[in-house]
Amino acid sequence: MRTPFIAGNWKMYKTVADAVKYVKELRGLVKDLDAVEVVLAPTFTALFAAAEAARNSNVGIAAQDLHWEREGAFTGEISGQMIREAGATYAIVGHSERRSLFGETDASVNRKVAAAFAAGLCPIACIGETLDQRERNETFDVLDRQITQGLDGLTAEQIGQLVIAYEPVWAIGTGRNATPAQASEAHGHIRSRLRQWFGQEPAELCHVIYGGSVKPENARELLSQPDVDGALVGGASLDVRSFLQIVASARRDEAL
Ligand code: 13P
């Protein structure tokens, strides 16, 4: 059984002071929780302080991106080793904002996913179709391409450790979440491809989480879909109480 996985992607929000305050509050609120994996992704500048504030707690810390090289003349970039040293244990890779605004491709996602594993980080690899692609009935083709190219060369063991975030681009920051049926269909497709391409066991171990306008009001229904193992939450993760409600919705016994 996969433990529900709820991650907050803060994007370019929150200062170091904001991040530390939030983490300190959240760690107290989830201190007795072991039925849900809880992860926060602050900006690079807040990573170290957030990880310090989360030390020995149930809150994990993720970077929002990484570079694929260990070190070198790559002005402005941060390596997996540097992220690991700062105390993070996860890295988001290939978020649609990085793809659409900063030229990320399936090829760069593939290098970054491998680099994250090499640095001892668990990648949270993002995939998802645009509205145009959905309307042209290309959703499954897009997901297949993103999986085959983005995850090319990974071992079965790595697939088993991986988190895949299905984030339909049209649902991100729009307030328009995928319906439970749409999420369930896409997640079921992703799981069946993982089974087909990497084998039964890694496909069962891999977390496939949903992202796109997840809120306290829709979390429970989305998270109760069979192949939806958690959520990657943007806007609603900025407020600790609303994030906590989403975490609580992921518990199979609900109360928190
Ligand atoms: P919203 O929850 O704000 O739609 O963002 C989703 C997202 O991009 C998480 O990575």
Side-chain angles (χ1 to χ4, degrees), residues 9 11 95 97 167 171-174 211-214 232-236:
N9 175 10
K11 309 192 179 183
H95 190 280
E97 285 148 18
E167 298 206 298
I172 296 179
T174 58
S213 298
V214 176
L232 184 54
V233 186

Side-chain angles (χ1 to χ4, degrees), residues 93-94 99 125-129 142-143 146-147 164-168 190:
V93 179
R99 292 177 189 257
C126 302
I127 59 176
E129 80 288 358
V142 170
L143 297 178
Q146 291 172 332
I147 294 169
I164 294 179
Y166 169 61
E167 298 206 298
I190 294 164

Side-chain angles (χ1 to χ4, degrees), residues 185-198:
E185 183 188 41
H187 285 238
H189 177 81
I190 294 164
R191 183 94 52 210
S192 71
R193 288 302 199 219
L194 293 176
R195 216 174 273 130
Q196 183 183 344
W197 292 330
F198 298 98

